């Protein structure tokens, strides 16, 4: 799981009953499903395509990078300030066999330029 926000599937809540206010929306699904939906929404809105390169600044544990490379076929360059996060994310990349698509670097994003 990721430690950031998620996008839940929302449907209209049933109408209010006498003396009870309507909540407006009802959220369906699990946190994990909502987090996958968030990643897909980001990639879809960015129109990520195979062969393109995604710059993931502050990639955390690599969730977006892994998802984008695996599902959308893009290359990913990720930058972070955390040696620990880079190490764990690289383990995840190796486990998924995505080393040919993903490269992580420990570098200050304010000075990163290519």
């Amino acid at each position: 799981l990721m430690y950031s926000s998620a996008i839940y599937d929302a449907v209209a809540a049933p109408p209010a009953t006498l003396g009870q206010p309507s909540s407006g929306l009802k959220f369906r699904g699990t946190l994990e499903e909502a987090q996958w939906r968030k990643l897909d929404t980001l990639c879809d809105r960015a129109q990520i395509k195979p062969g393109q390169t995604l710059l993931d600044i502050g990639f955390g544990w690599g969730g977006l990078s892994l998802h984008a490379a695996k599902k959308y076929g893009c290359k990913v360059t990720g930058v972070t300030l955390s040696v620990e996060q880079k190490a764990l994310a690289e383990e995840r990349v190796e486990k998924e066999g995505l080393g040919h698509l993903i490269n992580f670097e420990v570098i200050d994003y304010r000075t990163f330029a290519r």
Side-chain angles (χ1 to χ4, degrees):
L1 294 177
M2 289 156 274
Y3 51 83
S4 59
S5 62
I7 299 175
Y8 283 89
D9 183 26
V11 296
T17 58
L18 188 59
Q20 301 267 335
S22 173
S23 63
L25 294 175
K26 179 178 179 175
F27 298 101
R28 297 187 302 193
T30 66
L31 174 59
E32 184 177 9
E33 290 167 339
Q35 288 179 328
W36 288 120
R37 186 175 293 107
K38 176 188 74 171
L39 296 180
D40 281 329
T41 299
L42 288 169
C43 291
D44 290 343
R45 287 187 181 174
Q47 299 178 6
I48 301 294
K49 305 273 187 268
Q52 292 180 327
T53 301
L54 170 69
L55 175 59
D56 190 355
I57 298 173
F59 59 80
W61 307 110
L64 173 61
S65 296
L66 287 157
H67 185 73
K70 188 173 185 176
K71 185 169 180 178
Y72 295 85
C74 67
K75 296 178 182 178
V76 179
T77 297
V79 297
T80 185
L81 298 173
S82 172
V83 173
E84 294 82 6
Q85 286 182 330
K86 178 181 181 277
L88 187 112
E90 286 179 331
E91 287 177 21
R92 295 177 71 197
V93 168
E94 185 177 328
K95 182 178 177 183
E96 294 289 330
L98 296 171
H100 63 291
L101 292 175
I102 301 173
N103 178 55
F104 292 135
E105 298 181 35
V106 174
I107 188 168
D108 190 323
Y109 67 92
R110 293 168 290 193
T111 59
F112 179 79
R114 292 199 189 239

